[in-house]
Amino acid sequence: MINTSSICGLRALTLGGAAYCASKAGLNALGNMINLEEAKHGIRCTNLCPGEVDTAILDKRAQPPPPEKRAQMAQASDIAEVAVTVAALPARVFIPSITVTGLTTLELSM
């Protein structure tokens, strides 16, 4: 399993807001418990935690980021590539959580 979470699930950030941060933190906890409870059945879960990603939802912000800032963000294809890489790993390998970010949220991801 790969849960698409967020860096907002790792730490509270105004970027995401309270409900979003809480839901992503809960998703991360669920993924961790799946690993603890189901590893013996060969089930593994990775919480994929991206920072800002240049997608159409950014256009809904009160002030959408300018093109030069969006160019510094992770792209959807970057996140997909990480997910495919994680899924292709041998079944004996667990990656409980992975953070992927571009320059715009690099400091927030650490």
Side-chain angles (χ1 to χ4, degrees), residues 54-98:
D54 182 17
T55 64
I57 200 165
L58 297 178
D59 296 327
K60 296 181 187 245
R61 287 186 179 173
Q63 293 184 329
E68 58 273 8
K69 184 172 180 185
R70 289 174 90 135
Q72 295 180 324
M73 294 177 186
Q75 303 299 304
S77 59
D78 301 327
I79 306 306
E81 189 173 335
V82 171
V84 168
T85 299
V86 167
L89 292 171
R92 67 182 174 273
V93 176
F94 281 78
I95 298 179
S97 179
I98 189 166

Side-chain angles (χ1 to χ4, degrees), residues 8-95:
C8 292
L10 302 173
R11 64 169 32 140
L13 298 169
T14 56
L15 177 69
Y20 184 79
C21 291
S23 69
K24 294 303 184 178
L27 182 64
N28 290 343
L30 175 64
N32 293 338
M33 287 308 302
I34 287 169
N35 284 330
L36 292 172
E37 293 179 355
E38 300 301 330
K40 62 187 172 221
H41 298 113
I43 297 170
R44 61 188 174 156
C45 184
T46 296
N47 296 312
L48 178 54
C49 301
E52 282 185 309
V53 179
D54 182 17
T55 64
I57 200 165
L58 297 178
D59 296 327
K60 296 181 187 245
R61 287 186 179 173
Q63 293 184 329
E68 58 273 8
K69 184 172 180 185
R70 289 174 90 135
Q72 295 180 324
M73 294 177 186
Q75 303 299 304
S77 59
D78 301 327
I79 306 306
E81 189 173 335
V82 171
V84 168
T85 299
V86 167
L89 292 171
R92 67 182 174 273
V93 176
F94 281 78
I95 298 179

